[in-house]
Amino acid sequence: MPSAELKHTFQIAAPPEEVFAHLAEPSHYIGLSPLLVAVRDVQRSGGTVHYTAVERFRFLGVLRHDNIIDVTLVAVPDGLPHSAEISGEVRSPGRVRMSYRFAIDHHEVGSVVTDTLRLRTPPGLLRFAASQAGAVQQARARVLSARLARSA
């Protein structure tokens, strides 16, 4: 399957512990991604969480499609308070697969987050999926920064 890797690094004025705690909670992803409108069926086992997420796509401002995706999230706090990692896999019914990784490192202003996405899609979908994922990465950085600035 065609694939692409997207990477976005940004700073947040919050310590790694706060960034990690926020990204380790599935319900916090609602609104963190402009596409994600619901999280349900959350099952926890140690540092691994499995859940179902609903992405809402709008076409031509009128048509709506809810994409039901299976998500696995693995939270590894071992390096806190200096660093931590959250990673996982997203499986979409359209055979779009995405692995993701947030590397969270201490920085003088708070934290540096490196958001890495690896997409695999059926032929013909990679350009669309990569453009959507890139827009989500940019929005996620803005929203996460704003959310954690309010709590700091």
Side-chain angles (χ1 to χ4, degrees), residues 10 19 23 83-86 101-105 112-116:
F10 57 98
V19 178
L23 291 174
S83 65
E85 180 178 304
I86 294 177
R101 179 178 180 261
F102 299 107
I104 307 160
D105 293 297
V112 172
V113 178
T114 302
D115 178 348
T116 304

Side-chain angles (χ1 to χ4, degrees), residues 23-104:
L23 291 174
E25 175 53 47
S27 65
H28 291 166
Y29 286 83
I30 298 170
L32 194 56
S33 161
L35 300 175
L36 196 65
V37 296
V39 168
R40 61 182 187 230
D41 306 323
V42 177
Q43 299 174 355
R44 299 173 194 279
S45 177
T48 301
V49 182
H50 297 280
Y51 62 95
T52 301
V54 180
E55 288 181 320
R56 181 158 294 151
F57 291 93
R58 293 204 180 273
F59 301 98
L60 305 173
V62 182
L63 301 173
R64 182 180 99 181
H65 171 71
D66 284 352
N67 190 37
I68 310 301
I69 56 177
D70 294 320
V71 181
T72 302
L73 181 152
V74 179
V76 182
D78 296 347
L80 287 175
H82 301 290
S83 65
E85 180 178 304
I86 294 177
S87 62
E89 183 80 22
V90 175
R91 301 176 67 80
S92 173
R95 292 189 7 204
V96 173
R97 304 292 181 258
M98 182 182 75
S99 59
Y100 64 91
R101 179 178 180 261
F102 299 107
I104 307 160

